[in-house]
Structure formats: structure tokens, C-alpha cells
Amino acid sequence: MAETPDIRVAPVEASFRDALLALSVHDEQYAFVGRIAVSLVDAESCAGSEPMAILCDGEPMGFYRIERHANTLAEVEFARPTLGLRSFFIDTRWQGRGLGTRALEAAMHDMAHRYPWAKDVALTVNLRNAPGLALYRRAGFQETGGLYHGGRSGPQYLMLRALPRSNPT
């Protein structure tokens, strides 16, 4: 029986930056997620963003960015303190193994720990991105009922999920 891989997330460090830049998605997925080089540089240059690596047994397998001001995602104000999740993707070599849901869980627990003031996480997903929509639903995100029309590839669902509560130690 195969061992369960260790999935964790970490802020982007110089030691694995080159490996992150080598990650990619299938050509048809670029309609929904930007190229890693552009996303990484943009996140590093935005004061409210934090570039994050998704690691499998210590090897970079994906990327996302945290937005400390979720209203930058869809130009809406949220009722509770909310973080934004943007540019989430898993490299083509790692897709189809059920690791996306585990990576999202790791990201959610990490955000709850490092941003104790936040209550929710918001994201947008293109209406045509059926695999992405299914992944976010499996991870507990729900549509808010509104659409965001500012995406480069067409309308997007605005989705929201509460952060997990920290377990007292």
C-alpha cells in the first residue's frame, strides 16, 4: 500500500522558487489561471498579497496567493473579515490524484493559523471551469449567489467558505 503523501503549504522561499517557476497547467486551463511567472511576480509586488507554494513531500506541486483584502477579488465588501484566495493551481504532473482538495484544506488551516482575525475565505471561479468548481465545492466553498463579470475569461462565481476554527493546544 502506498504511503499518503505529506501535503503542506508555505510562503514562497528562494530555495524552491525555480521549481515553482517550472510548474504548469494544461493549455486549456490557462483560460482560468495565469502563468506562474506572472502570478508570482505580481503577488510579490503587491503589498496585500502573499505568494504561497503547495508542497508534496517537500516538492513544489502547486501555487496560490493570499489576498489580505478580499474585496480586491470581485470588488465587493464582505460582512465578516475575509481573505481572498487567488491563482490556485496544481501542476499537470500532480493533477488527477485527489491532491487538490487536500492542498485546499492545508491552505485553509494555514490561513486560519496565520490570520486569526479572518473568518472567511473568498475566491472566484469561471463558470466554464467545471473541474475547478467541483474542487472548490468538495472543499466546502459555496456560491454567494452573485457573479463577478470582471474576469478576463468571462463571468465567474463568487464563492465563500468559513475558515476552520483553531484547535486549542
Side-chain angles (χ1 to χ4, degrees), residues 41-126:
V41 168
D42 189 49
E44 290 171 334
S45 67
C46 292
S49 293
E50 184 171 8
M52 299 292 293
I54 303 167
L55 306 170
C56 180
D57 295 328
E59 179 184 347
M61 63 169 257
F63 173 83
Y64 65 97
R65 62 192 274 186
I66 299 168
E67 301 293 342
R68 286 188 287 279
H69 307 286
N71 61 335
T72 63
L73 290 179
E75 301 165 0
V76 300
E77 293 296 325
F78 295 92
R80 298 178 354 147
T82 303
L83 294 168
L85 178 68
R86 181 177 275 173
S87 305
F88 182 91
F89 78 88
I90 303 294
D91 181 77
T92 55
R93 295 168 296 153
W94 297 92
Q95 291 179 11
R97 301 184 196 183
L99 301 176
T101 303
R102 291 188 52 212
L104 274 172
E105 277 306 309
M108 297 297 285
H109 284 280
D110 176 72
M111 286 185 273
H113 174 74
R114 290 191 306 118
Y115 297 98
W117 54 265
K119 303 294 183 204
D120 299 318
V121 173
L123 60 83
T124 59
V125 60
N126 191 283

Side-chain angles (χ1 to χ4, degrees), residues 33-47:
V33 67
R35 306 240 176 229
I36 179 67
V38 174
S39 294
L40 183 55
V41 168
D42 189 49
E44 290 171 334
S45 67
C46 292

